Structures are given as structure tokens and as C-alpha cells.
Amino acid sequence: MSVLSGKKILLGVSGGIAAYKTASLVRLFIKAGAHVQVVMTPASKDFVTPLTLSTLSKNPVYSSFFEEDNDSEKQPKQDALWNNHVELGLWADLMLIAPATANTLSKMANGNCDNLLIATYLSAKCPVYFAPAMDLDMYKHPSTISSFNLLKQFGNIMIPAESGELASGLSGEGRMAEPENIIDFLEKDLESKLPLKGKKILITAGPTYEAIDPVRFIGNHSSGKMGFDIAAKAAELGATVNLISGPTYLNVKNPVINLVKVTSAQQMYEACHQYYNEADVAICAAAVADYRPKFVADQKIKKNDSSFTIELEKTKDILASLGEIKKNQFLVGFALETENEIENAKVKIQKKNLDLIVLNSLQDEGAGFGKQTNKVTFIDRHFKVEPMPLKSKEAVAEDIINKVIAHYEKNS
């Protein structure tokens, strides 16, 4: 999965011959799973039509401050939300200006705001990338170099031009980077800035099933969604994830997540210890069975007697076992309580050598197994208690991962 997936990208197109490449660029963004909005300078419409970019981006294309000048008859119906440069600038996760001509670069560097593209650039709150495109002499001119330097001082990121045949017939530097290379540059740059880049995270999820006989088991109602959402968020922010899951209908979508499927508590114990030593973080969100049948029948048990007794024995405490061998790992546990929630959670923190516990209470409406929402309380190793409001499990997962990020920022 590309790091661009789900990103809102604002593409600014200025008036150079390389503008024809933006059709391929938009296609590649869409293929990567990004959402694309295009703003064009009036001059750029001589090289590529708004209709082309609108069709490929599946959004209206804007080239002026006024709706009536935006070819509205040929483009999809416009939403009033996109009628001004401020809204466009606030919408984007990143802005890319490609091609960025010498004229547009000069306007960007000096704040010469005479078109919608420059107004949007000046309003943007997101990272801004620019891909220069011009002839060799223009590219090397002191005024252009000054624009490059000023824009980089402002925090903008330059995607260097490539060498090759130019529109003038000359050959040399100044050719806009090819669309595939622009995508590669953006992906690598974004990945390098992800807060969990280089971190290895072990996550457990779902229930465990403890066999009674070949067809029956002891289990619980955990869906595994909480753990899977945590894994998805961690991977999205750059972590390498080993997700150890008990039986569940869920699947992972991000290829950087290594899904390890297990059934029993013993299998989960073994898998956790296989991956724990190399982990920077372990988040144990699985609902592991505390007990299992002491004897498992080889054949299906027949329904003969009016009562039936199963002798149970304790399973190994995975979280406690990880706490015992913890070195530098940031260890996060979950607690599901029905009474004396805070006190019981604090005991677990000490007993299992945890850095953070995520407390769930079945007394809270909207929390617990099989729900799309969760209501948690964070308690750290210093017993700081932080209750959170009811949220979607995706939002709770983000909160948990933010705790991990804050730990590394504090200790960096």
C-alpha cells in the first residue's frame, strides 16, 4: 500500500509544455489511492484541458476565483466548499506544483498573488512540493536559483528537474521529473518523516479458542477489531507490524503487516515470544483465555449425562511473561474490568511490568466486545489516569499509537 493512499493532494499546474504530463501524474495519484484536486493557471490550459484533469481526478478543476470562469458546463457540478483558495489550501494534506515554471516560482517566492494557484499556495497549511520545468538557461539563471533558495528557506521541498531533451531542442537540465519519479520522490520523502519509521511493533488481537474436543471449544466474544485497527494505524505511520491474531473474520489490507494466525493461548504465547525480542513496542490487545480444559477429548463427547464437568487449568499469562523479560520495549496491556476498575488496572501495571494499560469497563455503554466503539481510560506506569470519551475503535487506535509516539518523542 502506498503512503499516498488516502492522502488529499492539491496539484497546481502552471503554464509550461510539461503540463501535458500532469494527466499521467493524476492517474498515478489516483492509482495510489490518493484524492486529487487540481488548480490550474490560465496559461496552463493551453497545454492540457481542465476537462482532461477533471475526468481523471473525478473532481472539478479550478483556474480562477470565480465559478463562472471554471468551465462548469464541461466539468462535474461544483461544491460551494471549493469556491475559494482558503478552503482549497486547508483541504490538502500536501500540495504539489508541477510543472513549476520560472514565472510561477518567482511569484511564489515573492508573494505576487495574481492568480488562484498562487493565492491557494499562500493559503496552504500543508507541506508544499514543487517540480521545476523550464529550459536550460532559465533553470541556471541567477533569478531562478534565487527563487529555488527562497522557496526552500520557506520550507518548500524541491523535486529536482531531470536532464534530457528540452522543448527548445537543447539537451540538458530543466526537464520536469517524470510522473513516476515524482511519485517515487513523494513516497520516499513522506515515508522518511513518518513518526514510527524503523520501529517494530508486536500486536495481539482477537480471542483464543481452547479445545474441549475436536468440535467444541471455550472462547469469548472478541472480534479482534481493536487490535486490527491498532495494527493498521501503526503501519500507516511507518511501523513494521507483527500482528498475532486469534480466530477472527478480519483481514489486513496493508502489506507491511505480518499477520500470524493462531488458535489457542499456548500458540499465541509461543508466537509472541518468537517476535518479542526484536520488537520496540508490544501492544497486547487480545482477549486471551485465562483457563483451558486440562484434558482434551480425542473424539467428540457424546451427550449422555444430565450434567458434564470440565476440569480447567490456567493458561500461561502472555502479558506477564513479556513483562518479565522486558528490556527496552514499550509494553502496553489491556484490562477489561467490571468492578474496581482503576484499582485492578493499577495492580496489573505493577504485577506485569507495564508502561501503559488501556482500561475497558463493561459498565460503559458502547464499550466491550463486538462493538464498533470503545471507551477507554489510559493509566501509565506512574498511575496517571486519563479517561477518554466514547470513540470509534479507529479513533481509540489512533490515541493508543499517539501514546507510543509521545513515549519516543519524550525519550529522543
Side-chain angles (χ1 to χ4, degrees):
M1 180 183 291
S2 171
V3 70
L4 295 172
S5 179
K7 289 283 188 293
K8 293 177 285 187
I9 298 175
L10 187 59
L11 175 62
V13 183
S14 62
I17 185 63
Y20 80 90
K21 295 181 181 180
T22 57
S24 296
L25 187 55
V26 171
R27 290 280 310 257
L28 290 172
F29 278 136
I30 297 298
K31 185 177 180 181
H35 308 287
V36 183
Q37 188 79 55
V38 180
V39 178
M40 304 177 71
T41 64
S44 69
K45 294 191 286 185
D46 293 332
F47 301 96
V48 61
T49 69
L51 180 58
T52 297
L53 299 182
S54 173
T55 301
L56 294 172
S57 68
K58 302 178 179 64
N59 279 311
V61 168
Y62 296 89
S63 59
S64 74
F65 292 100
F66 302 103
E67 186 173 332
E68 58 266 28
D69 294 335
N70 279 322
D71 301 322
S72 57
E73 293 298 317
K74 300 178 182 178
Q75 297 184 43
K77 205 71 173 173
Q78 292 186 11
D79 192 319
L81 179 65
W82 305 118
N83 281 348
N84 68 73
H85 58 282
V86 175
E87 294 290 351
L88 285 163
L90 293 175
W91 172 81
D93 293 317
L94 70 88
M95 184 176 188
L96 168 66
I97 299 174
T101 61
N103 182 42
T104 291
L105 291 169
S106 178
K107 290 178 179 180
M108 291 167 62
N110 294 286
N112 184 4
C113 184
D114 65 350
N115 62 44
L116 180 62
L117 174 55
I118 300 301
T120 303
Y121 160 71
L122 293 173
S123 300
K125 304 297 184 186
C126 60
V128 177
Y129 298 79
F130 63 96
M134 61 200 75
D135 211 76
L136 175 61
D137 293 336
M138 298 172 69
Y139 193 76
K140 297 293 187 182
H141 196 278
S143 64
T144 304
I145 294 172
S146 176
S147 294
F148 291 160
N149 292 334
L150 271 173
L151 289 172
K152 286 188 281 190
Q153 287 176 26
F154 296 159
N156 300 308
I157 303 156
M158 178 173 166
I159 303 176
E162 298 175 356
S163 294
E165 185 177 352
L166 304 170
S168 65
L170 298 175
S171 183
E173 200 171 14
R175 182 187 180 98
M176 187 180 89
E178 293 301 315
E180 294 82 2
N181 296 337
I182 290 175
I183 296 292
D184 185 60
F185 183 99
L186 291 173
E187 288 179 334
K188 288 179 178 177
D189 189 68
L190 290 172
E191 286 173 355
S192 70
K193 296 172 181 175
L194 292 173
L196 294 177
K197 181 69 175 177
K199 298 298 182 188
K200 294 181 179 179
I201 300 185
L202 168 65
I203 299 170
T204 67
T208 62
Y209 289 173
E210 309 304 323
I212 297 171
D213 62 22
V215 297
R216 300 183 182 93
F217 61 85
I218 296 173
N220 58 58
H221 298 295
S222 173
S223 66
K225 180 170 171 52
M226 190 73 258
F228 274 70
D229 286 342
I230 297 169
K233 178 55 65 174
E236 179 185 322
L237 295 179
T240 300
V241 178
N242 289 309
L243 174 60
I244 301 170
S245 175
T248 177
Y249 66 91
L250 299 171
N251 290 299
V252 297
K253 298 178 181 178
N254 195 321
V256 305
I257 300 174
N258 174 37
L259 177 60
V260 181
K261 295 182 179 181
V262 298
T263 301
S264 67
Q266 179 62 30
Q267 290 171 346
M268 186 170 284
Y269 176 94
E270 292 170 359
C272 285
H273 281 266
Q274 178 182 345
Y275 292 100
Y276 184 64
N277 284 337
E278 65 180 26
D280 300 295
V281 180
I283 303 174
C284 295
V288 184
D290 295 320
Y291 292 89
R292 65 185 178 193
K294 189 171 184 178
F295 304 103
V296 179
D298 294 331
Q299 303 295 325
K300 179 183 176 183
I301 299 170
K302 299 296 184 182
K303 186 172 64 175
N304 294 323
D305 301 323
S306 58
S307 64
F308 177 62
T309 301
I310 300 176
E311 185 179 358
L312 301 177
E313 63 180 2
K314 271 191 173 183
T315 58
K316 293 179 180 177
D317 190 323
I318 296 173
L319 190 56
S321 71
L322 298 181
E324 287 176 0
I325 62 172
K326 185 173 76 169
K327 296 176 183 176
N328 298 315
Q329 292 93 342
F330 185 72
L331 185 57
V332 182
F334 274 66
L336 179 63
E337 302 289 345
T338 58
E339 58 182 358
N340 299 322
E341 292 96 339
I342 301 295
E343 292 77 9
N344 288 335
K346 288 180 177 179
V347 170
K348 284 187 177 180
I349 290 173
Q350 289 183 313
K351 188 176 179 181
K352 302 188 181 187
N353 193 20
L354 306 182
D355 296 289
L356 180 72
I357 200 163
V358 184
L359 172 62
N360 294 268
S361 172
L362 284 181
Q363 306 299 327
D364 293 322
E365 186 176 351
F369 294 149
K371 304 278 197 333
Q372 296 299 311
T373 55
N374 207 351
K375 187 174 186 296
V376 305
T377 297
F378 292 115
I379 307 175
D380 66 18
R381 67 184 301 110
H382 305 295
F383 297 154
K384 178 185 176 183
V385 179
E386 185 180 357
M388 306 297 287
L390 183 70
K391 297 184 179 184
S392 69
K393 286 187 174 177
E394 292 88 349
V396 174
E398 185 171 357
D399 289 341
I400 293 168
I401 292 301
N402 284 339
K403 292 290 183 184
V404 174
I405 294 170
H407 165 75
Y408 283 105
E409 288 177 344
K410 182 180 178 180
N411 293 282
S412 61

